[in-house]
Amino acid sequence: MELIVEKSWDLILNSEYDKPYFKDLKNFLVLERFNNKDSIFPSEENVFRAFNECCFDDLKVVIIGQDPYPTRGHAHGLCFSVDENVKPLPKSLINIFKEIENDLNQKPPDNGSLVRWAKQGVLLLNCILTVKEGDAGSHVKKGWEEFTDAVIREINNRKKEVVFLLWGSKAQEKGKCIDVDKNCVLTSVHPSPLSSYRGFFGCKHFSKANEYLICSQKTPIVW
């Protein structure tokens, strides 16, 4: 497994690599990829892509997802995002774009890649960073939770005035360590078709995030 190569993140998180849970996690993934050939998503080089696309020093917004898309060709290391050539888009991502359109009066993009967000300082972090094809949640309780808890803890300890978008109960549980006195935490239901009409649509998180960033004298995100 190729580890984080972006230097600012590596300096912060490399101490996790030597911990027993992370060694066990790596061993588990080696066996999973050996036994399932190319059916573990995302590919090895994309497991830590969320960090490599978004420098810690530039971090302004954190969006927390659950685990990668289990559909072949979808997961590429950024939560909710897919490669530019993926059609049709996942339904949760379609709903995210619908809310942006309603919130900001902005037409949906022509593809589902959110790399453009990452390059502006948006960390697109899943709670679990790998999954087996067709089996959502298959890599739960293998060690990823401890690693991503460490990520959120380090962000909270080292930065302030970060916007956290927590959609759904799992993301909100993950964000319990966030200091709400020095950061902006916005919560709603998950954007999946099962829950989006119960509060995700109309949450206006994208305009609220930008309003907070502007008040913090930071450049808003071009969503």
Side-chain angles (χ1 to χ4, degrees):
M1 180 170 63
E2 181 178 305
L3 299 178
I4 297 171
V5 297
E6 201 285 319
K7 291 183 179 179
S8 62
W9 280 111
D10 184 58
L11 289 171
I12 294 167
L13 296 173
N14 62 20
S15 62
E16 296 297 311
Y17 304 156
D18 293 327
K19 293 182 178 180
Y21 86 86
F22 198 87
K23 292 180 179 180
D24 290 344
L25 172 61
K26 287 197 295 184
N27 291 335
F28 165 75
L29 290 172
V30 167
L31 286 174
E32 277 287 270
R33 290 194 187 276
F34 177 80
N35 292 329
N36 297 285
K37 300 187 184 299
D38 63 345
S39 297
I40 304 301
F41 306 146
S43 59
E44 287 190 72
E45 65 270 20
N46 282 328
V47 171
F48 291 104
R49 188 175 181 182
F51 303 96
N52 294 328
E53 296 283 8
C54 175
C55 173
F56 180 83
D57 298 334
D58 298 332
L59 178 66
K60 294 185 286 190
V61 178
V62 179
I63 299 177
I64 299 179
Q66 296 180 4
D67 59 346
Y69 294 122
T71 303
R72 180 172 294 273
H74 282 194
H76 71 160
L78 308 177
C79 72
F80 296 109
S81 179
V82 293
D83 279 328
E84 292 183 358
N85 62 346
V86 172
K87 300 289 182 183
L89 298 182
K91 293 179 180 179
S92 291
L93 183 56
I94 290 173
N95 287 340
I96 289 170
F97 288 157
K98 284 182 179 178
E99 175 58 21
I100 291 173
E101 183 175 16
N102 293 332
D103 185 11
L104 302 175
N105 194 28
Q106 176 179 308
K107 290 185 178 180
D110 58 6
N111 67 77
S113 175
L114 304 181
V115 172
R116 61 188 180 278
W117 293 3
K119 295 298 187 184
Q120 297 177 74
V122 180
L123 178 66
L124 295 156
L125 178 69
N126 276 313
C127 299
I128 313 296
L129 300 190
T130 54
V131 71
K132 184 178 178 181
E133 181 176 9
D135 191 5
S138 51
H139 288 181
V140 167
K141 296 183 180 179
K142 301 300 182 182
W144 282 128
E145 293 92 341
E146 191 167 347
F147 179 77
T148 50
D149 280 347
V151 172
I152 297 168
R153 185 170 60 248
E154 291 294 342
I155 294 171
N156 185 67
N157 290 343
R158 294 170 183 261
K159 298 184 79 73
K160 62 179 181 178
E161 297 175 340
V162 174
V163 180
F164 290 85
L165 303 184
L166 308 182
W167 301 331
S169 58
K170 290 184 179 180
Q172 290 162 29
E173 181 71 24
K174 196 79 173 173
K176 282 188 174 180
C177 71
I178 300 166
D179 185 345
V180 297
D181 292 327
K182 68 172 186 176
N183 298 295
C184 175
V185 178
L186 300 175
T187 63
S188 84
V189 298
H190 194 274
S192 75
L194 295 175
S195 58
S196 55
Y197 286 94
R198 299 202 305 269
F200 181 76
F201 290 139
C203 70
K204 298 188 180 296
H205 279 185
F206 303 97
S207 60
K208 289 177 181 178
N210 278 350
E211 288 167 5
Y212 181 85
L213 292 174
I214 291 169
C215 289
S216 303
Q217 298 184 326
K218 297 180 181 180
T219 305
I221 305 299
V222 179
W223 298 107

